[in-house]
Amino acid sequence: DAGVIQSPRHEVTEMGQEVTLRCKPISGHNSLFWYRQTMMRGLELLIYFNNNVPIDDSGMPEDRFSAKMPNASFSTLKIQPSEPRDSAVYFCASSALAGGQTQYFGPGTRLLVL
Amino acid sequence: AQKVTQAQTEISVVEKEDVTLDCVYETRDTTYYLFWYKQPPSGELVFLIRRNSFDEQNEISGRYSWNFQKSTSSFNFTITASQVVDSAVYFCALSPNTNAGKSTFGDGTTLTVKP
């Protein structure tokens, strides 16, 4: 079975541009998580969804960040406008409520904002 | 509030040495899960193990073993006869039984295994 799929794997953009990161969770998983990883701050949870509903977005750094999950098999994380400090690796993870809270991570999107 | 502490920021060993990565946690939950993840240089986060707070049995998987001690709030990870391919950042994580969204990750331990 396919794991969590993220696209793009790498993104280079200029400050002020809109960036959209995409995630397809593992089929049958009920929860989806967006994380950001940087050297300075480590792994940070940005937002998570249960059954497509956002449960906690307290980790979203500011209004420039937004996330949606229109259906069980797709989620987006959007940054508009992007800034150089948004440069990081963004991970999507999914878990099954019956799966003991184990989160399975995608390969990540490496974002560089110039 | 919950907390995961991986006091060892970096560890360097020579191939075939045994190495233990420490993880100490704090939680007020009576039931919870503990995890270890591996992040190799390629960057992906790979799930290694999950342990339920009910189950204090140690677990062995090949060269990997995990020691869970509730009395000391520790969940240590030992690699026996380390190999170069074990070089990675290892994360310990804690989650309440009922809410994966409240997972807490440690800062990670960077393990370097030299040939």
Side-chain angles (χ1 to χ4, degrees):
Chain A
D1 199 11
V4 176
I5 299 172
Q6 290 187 247
S7 64
R9 294 293 306 276
H10 302 273
E11 177 81 27
V12 180
T13 190
E14 293 188 347
M15 187 174 72
Q17 296 297 306
E18 178 179 295
V19 175
T20 299
L21 311 181
R22 297 173 176 80
C23 175
K24 177 178 168 56
I26 293 173
S27 177
H29 280 192
N30 315 86
S31 300
L32 183 139
F33 309 82
W34 282 102
Y35 287 87
R36 179 173 67 177
Q37 186 178 38
T38 60
M39 289 292 292
M40 292 296 294
R41 301 175 69 92
L43 198 61
E44 302 174 276
L45 177 66
L46 301 177
I47 186 172
Y48 77 98
F49 297 83
N50 276 352
N51 295 317
N52 313 339
V53 177
I55 303 300
D56 186 350
D57 64 355
S58 59
M60 297 285 259
E62 46 196 276
D63 292 345
R64 298 184 297 106
F65 285 69
S66 63
K68 293 182 180 179
M69 191 165 185
N71 57 61
S73 58
F74 183 66
S75 177
T76 59
L77 177 67
K78 187 175 293 186
I79 308 172
Q80 166 64 15
S82 58
E83 296 183 3
R85 60 192 167 122
D86 301 330
S87 298
V89 180
Y90 291 81
F91 287 102
C92 176
S94 69
S95 70
L97 291 178
Q101 313 296 355
T102 301
Q103 296 182 38
Y104 294 90
F105 284 77
T109 294
R110 190 172 296 272
L111 174 64
L112 177 61
V113 183
L114 302 173
Chain B
Q2 54 186 36
K3 185 178 179 182
V4 175
T5 302
Q6 295 181 253
Q8 305 149 307
T9 306
E10 295 182 10
I11 301 177
S12 181
V13 299
V14 177
E15 208 170 18
K16 297 185 183 177
E17 284 185 21
D18 298 347
V19 58
T20 296
L21 309 182
D22 298 332
C23 174
V24 174
Y25 63 92
E26 297 174 26
T27 180
R28 293 182 179 177
D29 293 308
T30 54
T31 59
Y32 48 89
Y33 288 105
L34 293 161
F35 306 85
W36 277 96
Y37 287 85
K38 174 182 180 179
Q39 187 173 37
S42 52
E44 71 274 26
L45 276 156
V46 179
F47 164 71
L48 295 178
I49 189 173
R50 179 187 75 229
R51 174 60 68 206
N52 192 313
S53 56
F54 292 134
D55 183 2
E56 287 194 67
Q57 270 194 324
N58 292 333
E59 180 152 346
I60 298 174
S61 176
R63 296 183 297 106
Y64 294 173
S65 63
W66 291 269
N67 182 283
F68 174 33
Q69 291 196 346
K70 216 167 177 179
S71 59
T72 56
S73 297
S74 65
F75 186 43
N76 297 337
F77 173 27
T78 297
I79 302 174
T80 303
S82 60
Q83 299 177 1
V84 173
V85 293
D86 296 327
S87 297
V89 182
Y90 290 87
F91 292 93
C92 180
L94 167 69
S95 172
N97 262 19
T98 55
N99 191 349
K102 294 300 182 185
S103 297
T104 300
F105 283 76
D107 291 334
T109 297
T110 300
L111 174 65
T112 302
V113 181
K114 300 178 181 178

